[in-house]
Amino acid sequence: MNHPAAHVSADIEKAAGLDISSKSTSAEDISQPVPPIHLPPKLSKWNQRIERLSGLEARGITRVLPEERHEASVIGYVQMALLWFSANITANNLAVGMLGPLLFNLGFFDSAMCAVFGIMIGAAATAYTSIWGAQSGNRTMIVARYFMGYWPAKLACFLNMILMVGYGTIDCIVGGQILSAVSGGGMSILVGIVIVALISWLVAAFGMAVFHVYERYAWIPQLIVLFILVGSAGPSFNASLPNTVTGGAVTASRLSFFSLQLSVPVSWAAASSDFYVYYPESTKPWVVYLMTFSGLTLSFCFVNLIGIGLASGVATNSAWSAANDVSSGALIVAGFDGLRGFGKFCGVIVALGVISNNIPGTYASALGCQVLGRYGKMVPRYFWVCVIVIVYFVCAAAGRDHLYAIFQNFLALMGYWVTIFVSIVLEEHVIFRLKLGFDWTAWEDRKRLPVGFAALFAFLAGWAGAIVGMAQTWYVGPVAANIGGIGADIGTWLGIAFALILFPPLRYLELKKFGR
């Protein structure tokens, strides 16, 4: 029986190749596409040669029709969980856990509780948006057209590209920091960034088949070395570490760290369906949800608790404190210090593990370039992978000495729009689509998709709520400033509230006026 995640039929892929018009050959897919644009003959010839490479996924954003899917299998469903577990049991997420004690001044217990419950809520949102891939055969930002309209969905797509490039930047920096620390400073962080970026580029360029095979096994060495890290560093974890802030500042720090932890797993929500489009239409949504939720929750909780443990020991372990002054990557490597040369080997494995996290985001960003418009769709997916990798390599090289600032500001900021997007998707689905249903063949027909006025207005209003409630180093909103004396980040919650309240009546008016 075929493995739906690990194999992508070569015949299907090459045939679907650079489908610039995105016009399906099936009678089922009767959408009216935008006018086609074709590559110049010479470029088209070179493109065809590249796409003949064994294992290269030629398909871009074209819908995967039901007859092009693979048969269901238990292994295929388990692969759903393994994909997310492998992609997130990585050092960059471990570094996020460190922020509880080191940045927000929370104790071990408070940091752990904020992390676990924030992760579970964020994972639940991403698991929800993942159910549309198998049902529709469409990528996440194509599915977004059914909830936000053809044009407003491009805004969400653009923001998602920024988000994934940002995570690519963070992955490269963390990987570079660890490799530099392992070498005792003999290798610069920049060289480590180059290594992470190059391997990420290679796997993402080949696409779905190679990507799934990589993720199926990449978690094994990561899990082993992380257990070794727990054994090596665990005795220095300070589980009784108290909060170093008092009064209202404790509440503010809890809210901010909780929101930050939610922001990390929920950031996958705008890409989660991308990896399930080859599963059969008959795939049960609850299976997709459960596998996705399990993979995300287990991986994030495991590495974040380790990160909190490492950070809790900084105050009492002078060697760890000195390492933390160098970088978060150096602190991770310091946890292996008692193992001598073997510890350095483990550090290399941890550093290379961030590649597993980088590949899905790079893949999704490249698809986003095609979703943005006809000219973007004209360019092959593998070329966009090259562009995305170059962009986040440059960003990582420029920001390699400012990782904590990137974590604190970028992650929470990007989490605002994703939670607003998920809120709109949920209401459109539950309130309107349960009755209207979905015509997945209309994925590129603007006349059969929602106009999007309601979603756009609710989305912008949600952003207004996020702005007055956000608390960042460079800006604290008027509502956030009144919490705890130091300001607490409640931008996520105000953004959700504004969108949830405004979208239903606006969508009702839109349906009454336009009928779609």
Side-chain angles (χ1 to χ4, degrees), residues 3 10 16 39 95 177 182 190 225 238 284 333 367 375-376 389 397 412 475:
H3 190 313
L39 282 174
Q177 287 181 347
V182 167
L190 184 59
V225 296
N238 184 6
K284 301 294 185 183
V333 174
L367 292 173
Y375 293 100
V389 170
Y475 173 78

Side-chain angles (χ1 to χ4, degrees), residues 356-388:
S356 298
N357 187 265
N358 218 9
I359 294 167
T362 305
Y363 180 88
S365 297
L367 292 173
C369 293
Q370 294 186 323
V371 174
L372 285 179
R374 291 185 297 156
Y375 293 100
K377 187 169 54 180
M378 177 177 108
V379 179
R381 181 195 58 80
Y382 62 80
F383 179 83
W384 284 124
V385 168
C386 299
V387 173
I388 295 297

